[in-house]
């Protein structure tokens, strides 16, 4: 194994997870958008998704979509965060579709698209309870009616987001509400909606249980492909792989020290007053990573006998007293990541990304 501190990425696993999800969704008539924001849209990972059968992509950051376009990706791309009013021209030039909930933005998207002889697709976001983005169910029809009159816009469908702000899980009930709204719009506005977008990774559970209501025909999946986990349900997805990403970190100090700091207690580097439990003398390792690079709560040592003690900007402390391996300066400690941990690391310019050999 290479020494140093880096994020190790196994593209074969990402391809395999993509394939497993696409194949599970296809018989149900559900298209999977590959969501690329969890790894700042790194091209090799995007390619692995595509090789696994993902046809269309989506990202919440316009910057990521622009960078994929510059690198020659021609896939259909959906912008997953409501566009800024100040960015509508960019949105119509680089994306095929965006999610929306504000009439003023949709109107400007329409004008910008119309002025260059284009039509921009939108998904109208409906809030079925999570209280993040989206029009309320009772306002969906009126918004759809107004939007349907805009010359530069195609209202391609409706969508919803769950498990983000309010922690509301996708259920038969809230997805059926979305389907009812779809039918109401189709009937009263007299248009056909091609897409009913039923959420992200947290909606895979309904598929696993055979409970996905017929009519939902798109899911936007990031976490499931990347990590094989579902944070909102707090579990592993049993039919996916969990080991596409491993963080390897090099040890720069090993010392046995007391578990409670010595001296007068003030605030730590982040303004918190720390609390310590006295476990006597412990063997502690410092690895070359810090809060600039990682979300400490998003890291889990592979050796479950090791424990993350904390971190400052540039130092991460691990209790290695009970470690299986004899940890020394220069040793490597390996960590699994959750979605937050992965997000931070992918955005850290200090942590190298290393693709596992023999992949793709
Ligand atoms: C990030 C995001 C997703 C993907 O969520 P995962 O949990 O990673 O599958 C889907 N929809 C929207 C609107 C998002 O912002």
């Amino acid at each position: 194994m290479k020494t140093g501190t880096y994020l190790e990425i196994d593209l074969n696993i990402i391809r395999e997870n993509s394939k497993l999800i696409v194949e599970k969704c296809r018989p149900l008539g559900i298209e999977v958008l590959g969501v690329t924001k969890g790894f700042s849209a790194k091209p090799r990972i995007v390619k692995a998704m595509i090789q696994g059968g993902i046809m269309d992509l989506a990202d919440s950051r316009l910057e990521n979509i622009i960078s994929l376009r510059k690198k020659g990706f021609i896939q259909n791309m959906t912008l997953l965060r409501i566009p800024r009013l100040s960015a509508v021209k960019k949105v119509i030039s680089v994306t095929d579709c965006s999610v929306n909930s504000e009439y003023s933005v949709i109107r400007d998207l329409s004008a910008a698209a119309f002025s260059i002889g284009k039509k921009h697709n939108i998904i109208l976001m409906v809030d079925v309870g999570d209280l993040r983005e989206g029009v309320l169910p009772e306002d969906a029809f009126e918004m759809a009616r107004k939007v349907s009159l805009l010359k530069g816009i195609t209202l391609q469908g409706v969508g919803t987001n769950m498990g983000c702000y309010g922690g509301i899980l996708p259920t038969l009930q809230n997805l059926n509400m979305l389907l009812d709204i779809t039918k109401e719009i189709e009937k009263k506005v007299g248009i056909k909606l091609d897409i009913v977008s039923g959420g992200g990774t947290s909606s895979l559970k309904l598929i696993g249980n055979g409970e996905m209501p017929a009519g939902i025909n798109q899911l936007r999946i990031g976490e499931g492909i990347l990590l094989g986990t579902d944070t909102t349900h707090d579990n592993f997805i049993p039919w996916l792989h969990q080991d596409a990403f491993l963080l390897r970190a090099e040890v720069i100090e090993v010392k046995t020290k007391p578990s409670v700091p010595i001296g007068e207690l003030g605030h730590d580097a982040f303004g918190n007053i720390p609390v310590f439990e006295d476990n006597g003398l412990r063997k502690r390792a410092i690895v070359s990573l810090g809060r600039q690079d990682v979300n400490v709560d998003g890291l889990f040592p592979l050796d479950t006998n090791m424990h993350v003690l904390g971190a400052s900007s540039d130092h991460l402390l691990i209790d290695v007293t009970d470690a299986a391996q004899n940890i020394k300066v220069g040793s490597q400690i390996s960590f699994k990541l959750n979605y937050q941990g992965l997000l931070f690391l992918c955005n850290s310019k200090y942590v190298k990304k290393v693709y596992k050999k023999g992949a793709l």
Side-chain angles (χ1 to χ4, degrees), residues 35 37 60 80 125 132-133 161 199-202 220-224 339:
V35 175
K37 70 184 184 209
S60 51
L80 290 180
M125 291 304 269
R132 198 177 73 178
E133 76 275 48
N161 191 67
T201 295
S202 57
R220 314 171 303 263
I221 307 288
E223 184 185 356
Y339 203 27

Side-chain angles (χ1 to χ4, degrees), residues 185-242:
I185 292 173
E186 287 189 328
K187 190 159 147 237
K188 292 205 207 152
V189 185
I191 53 174
K192 169 96 183 66
L193 297 178
D194 292 331
I195 296 176
V196 186
S197 189
T201 295
S202 57
S203 297
L204 287 177
K205 186 154 192 195
L206 290 172
I207 293 185
N209 295 348
E211 290 174 352
M212 181 59 83
I216 300 293
N217 61 14
Q218 181 191 82
L219 294 179
R220 314 171 303 263
I221 307 288
E223 184 185 356
I225 293 174
L226 301 171
L227 296 172
T229 55
D230 172 2
T231 303
T232 54
H233 287 97
D234 195 24
N235 64 13
F236 284 2
I237 301 173
W239 46 278
L240 295 174
H241 304 283
Q242 281 78 35

Side-chain angles (χ1 to χ4, degrees), residues 6-9 37-40 42 223 226-227 229 231 245-248 289-301 308 316 335-349 351-353:
Y6 55 88
L7 178 65
E8 186 179 274
I9 305 167
K37 70 184 184 209
F39 54 94
S40 35
K42 298 199 180 312
E223 184 185 356
L226 301 171
L227 296 172
T229 55
T231 303
F245 295 88
L246 270 186
L247 171 63
R248 314 261 192 206
L289 274 172
R291 288 188 194 264
Q292 293 198 63
D293 317 295
V294 295
N295 170 352
V296 180
D297 302 327
L299 293 183
F300 307 92
V308 176
L316 177 70
F335 301 86
K336 287 198 166 212
L337 304 163
N338 70 12
Y339 203 27
Q340 288 289 334
L342 182 63
L343 267 167
F344 266 75
L345 273 170
C346 284
N347 284 313
S348 173
K349 67 173 182 197
V351 180
K352 261 187 300 190
K353 318 299 181 285

Side-chain angles (χ1 to χ4, degrees), residues 259-278 284 291 308-312 317:
S259 32
V260 178
I262 306 129
E264 197 176 322
L265 191 62
H267 291 176
D268 67 13
F270 294 88
N272 307 307
I273 297 187
V275 181
F276 298 93
E277 194 183 328
D278 192 352
R284 302 142 59 102
R291 288 188 194 264
V308 176
L309 292 166
S312 58
L317 281 74

